[in-house]
Amino acid sequence: MLTFEEKLQVIESFPELERKDVSLGRVNFHYNESSYDQKNVVYHLHPNGNGFVYAGKMTGYQTNDKGMVNIRDFTEKALRSTIRKSILSLTPKEPEKTNEPEEEVWINENTVTLTLLKEGEIWNVYADDILDGTFNSYRQATQYLDEEGFSRI
């Protein structure tokens, strides 16, 4: 088991965390850039070595009702890994950028055209104003069009 001082040394190696001394010699570490109301990454690190790390948005950890995992018996590697994952789980997510177009026109050898259109989170294929198919992803929609003998214009 790491001592209080050893745990502090590991935790303080994360520059994105801000130390907050609380009662009874305990220490919290906040992640102020959190996308959520949850700011505490390390909660009530006690001089006896007990303390908690927020794992409420992570899988594979046994947490209490506040989403905290007890770090009393963590190794340095486990502590460092859990804190890094906690910070990442609270980090603002940037919208995924893709090269997918919002709209495409496809044609077959008989010069029939279909329009592939992203509408919200789904992809619809239209023949003029008539809905021909609905797909969960761009890849599924283009695979369908390819199988039906259409190609992008």
Side-chain angles (χ1 to χ4, degrees), residues 85-98:
K85 289 177 189 173
S86 180
I87 291 168
L88 289 173
S89 77
L90 297 171
T91 299
K93 306 292 186 265
E94 291 194 25
E96 195 173 304
K97 294 179 182 174
T98 65

Side-chain angles (χ1 to χ4, degrees), residues 92-117:
K93 306 292 186 265
E94 291 194 25
E96 195 173 304
K97 294 179 182 174
T98 65
N99 293 329
E100 298 171 351
E102 296 291 315
E103 182 176 348
E104 289 181 339
V105 177
W106 290 63
I107 192 167
N108 70 5
E109 62 187 25
N110 298 324
T111 67
V112 174
T113 60
L114 296 177
T115 302
L116 174 59
L117 185 62

Side-chain angles (χ1 to χ4, degrees), residues 39-86:
K39 301 278 187 219
N40 272 333
V41 170
V42 178
Y43 180 70
H44 284 181
L45 179 64
H46 193 276
N48 69 9
N50 200 22
F52 301 89
V53 170
Y54 181 71
K57 299 195 176 301
M58 302 165 10
T59 58
Y61 291 91
Q62 198 168 27
T63 61
N64 64 17
D65 60 339
K66 293 181 180 179
M68 298 286 181
V69 62
N70 191 299
I71 60 168
R72 180 182 208 51
D73 298 320
F74 273 33
T75 64
E76 178 181 345
K77 183 177 179 181
L79 179 60
R80 192 174 299 283
S81 172
T82 304
I83 291 171
R84 172 60 50 215
K85 289 177 189 173
S86 180

Side-chain angles (χ1 to χ4, degrees), residues 106 139-152:
W106 290 63
R139 189 179 66 73
Q140 289 174 339
T142 58
Q143 183 177 354
Y144 163 77
L145 289 164
D146 283 335
E147 289 171 358
E148 294 298 316
F150 287 83
S151 56
R152 258 183 297 256

Side-chain angles (χ1 to χ4, degrees), residues 10-20 28-34 39-42 80 83-92:
V10 169
I11 297 163
E12 288 175 338
S13 73
F14 291 90
E16 55 268 68
L17 297 180
E18 180 182 335
R19 181 180 174 147
K20 301 280 184 175
N28 290 346
F29 285 85
H30 293 192
Y31 177 53
N32 292 320
E33 300 301 314
S34 176
K39 301 278 187 219
N40 272 333
V41 170
V42 178
R80 192 174 299 283
I83 291 171
R84 172 60 50 215
K85 289 177 189 173
S86 180
I87 291 168
L88 289 173
S89 77
L90 297 171
T91 299

